[in-house]
Amino acid sequence: GPNADASRLPFTPITYPGQEPDAPWRKAAAERIEKHRKGELTVRVVDGEGKPVAGAKVRVQMQRHAYGFGTFLEYRVMTGSGPDSAKLREWTLKLFNRCTTPIYWADWGWANPDSRKGFLDCARWAFDNKLATRGHCIIYPGWKYMPAAVRALEKDPTALQKRLLEQVVEATEATRAFSFTEYDVCNELRDLKEIHGLLGRDAVAEWFKMAREHAPNSRMAINENTILTRGGVTGAEQDNYADWIQYLVDQGQGPDIIGMQGHFGEAVTGPEAVIRILDRFAKFGKAIQITEFDLITRDEAGQARYTRDFLTAVFSHPSTDAFTMWGFWEGK
């Protein structure tokens, strides 16, 4: 009924292959972590004359990870002045060494002066606090993610592509001062076919080329959804993504980073299947990143358990170099 307290209703706990404490994938993952995520450290303690000091007590604490652990920055909260904003900024710096900051082009985003200022303020905060920063995203190739004025060019493909390339230049130049480590040049090409359906696939390669010309020190990424999710039953989606990546490689504009989102429902993917999918895309020889991880469920214990196992599997894979939460704080 309308007055039911949903929090008191029963629910089905999350389960997945490989959740057992003694599942074989755990040992293999631990071995990969030992091999790929650790290094040797030699500490020499000497006196003023350079002679070894016997019995010295040494305490070593890692200050910063080489691997990227990040979160998406919601600019309205990050740049606010209240206690919630202050707490979010504090914990972002405690937990993460990288972030994703918005540069959405839509009328409600970059095309709106107030939103654009918020995006840039967010990027400036990340830069000032030495967070590696990913710009998301330059071209989100669907009409609903673009200004209405751009759709007015729908019947003029030449003018449309010219305007898209101008936006690539504008976004990269406007954020140049913040030294973004990478940009999502485009996002979700599989589902959003309106633009490249009009302009052809070569238009996407041109976006990458232009972005590289104007941000030569940044890595350029492609980003896609539903590759690792849905229990791993994503063969068609994987094929489409691999085809796009190969096409860009063939055009001399292969992405530097292969982004896989990771918006999970309760049909989570077992760690062994996750590793198999990562193995497939590792064959391109590019860095792989989990760019937008979240898991929507009422089963908070299962959410925690799967987040641990998914992250362990991803972290253990030598082709990955970053894992980004799509926000980490519920707020109260």
Side-chain angles (χ1 to χ4, degrees), residues 20-240:
E20 304 82 9
D22 59 350
W25 73 269
R26 297 186 190 279
K27 181 176 183 294
E31 291 171 351
R32 288 193 300 273
I33 290 171
E34 190 70 30
K35 179 178 180 181
H36 299 292
R37 303 301 178 201
K38 296 183 179 181
E40 298 296 328
L41 175 67
T42 301
V43 178
R44 297 178 65 245
V45 183
V46 297
D47 62 19
E49 297 178 355
K51 297 178 180 179
V53 176
K57 294 182 179 180
V58 177
R59 180 176 180 269
V60 178
Q61 182 176 2
M62 183 171 64
Q63 297 296 307
R64 199 171 183 89
H65 246 287
Y67 197 88
F69 294 100
T71 185
F72 180 76
L73 302 184
E74 213 304 316
Y75 80 93
R76 292 179 182 85
V77 183
M78 293 300 301
T79 60
S81 58
D84 283 352
S85 294
K87 181 180 285 188
L88 186 58
R89 289 191 293 267
E90 175 190 357
W91 280 95
T92 296
L93 296 177
K94 284 182 177 180
L95 297 174
F96 303 104
N97 59 13
R98 65 179 281 120
C99 65
T100 296
T101 192
I103 49 174
Y104 298 110
W105 187 15
D107 283 323
W108 46 262
W110 187 270
N112 179 297
D114 290 336
S115 295
R116 182 167 65 249
K117 180 181 182 302
F119 292 173
L120 294 174
D121 286 347
C122 202
R124 183 175 296 106
W125 179 85
F127 176 76
D128 289 345
N129 286 281
K130 299 180 173 56
L131 293 175
T133 304
R134 178 190 191 94
H136 177 80
C137 53
I138 298 176
I139 303 292
Y140 206 162
W143 297 126
K144 65 181 178 179
Y145 299 111
M146 292 185 179
V150 176
R151 185 161 192 176
L153 303 174
E154 184 175 1
K155 303 297 184 182
D156 188 344
T158 300
L160 175 60
Q161 177 67 347
K162 179 176 181 291
R163 182 65 188 92
L164 294 170
L165 291 172
E166 289 172 351
Q167 180 60 20
V168 174
V169 174
E170 181 176 328
T172 50
E173 292 291 340
T175 55
R176 179 189 296 275
F178 310 124
S179 302
F180 284 7
T181 53
E182 62 237 27
Y183 292 87
D184 280 322
V185 177
C186 55
N187 192 41
E188 300 178 0
L189 290 169
R190 184 188 69 245
D191 296 333
L192 299 174
K193 303 174 184 177
E194 297 155 324
I195 307 303
H196 61 80
L198 284 171
L199 303 178
R201 301 179 94 187
D202 57 334
V204 179
E206 288 187 67
W207 305 341
F208 273 85
K209 183 175 184 293
M210 186 67 75
R212 287 189 164 108
E213 289 176 359
H214 288 269
N217 297 321
S218 302
R219 295 190 294 173
M220 298 301 162
I222 189 170
N223 199 43
E224 191 54 87
N225 63 31
T226 324
I227 303 300
L228 294 167
T229 53
R230 286 202 342 232
V233 186
T234 58
E237 291 86 353
Q238 293 176 47
D239 290 346
N240 178 278

Side-chain angles (χ1 to χ4, degrees), residues 10 38 72 101 157 183 200 204 242 249-250 252 269 297 310-311 313:
K38 296 183 179 181
F72 180 76
T101 192
Y183 292 87
V204 179
V249 169
D250 293 344
T269 306
T297 178
F310 179 74
L311 179 51

Side-chain angles (χ1 to χ4, degrees), residues 3-14:
N3 298 318
D5 181 355
S7 67
R8 300 182 65 182
L9 297 176
F11 59 87
T12 303
I14 290 174

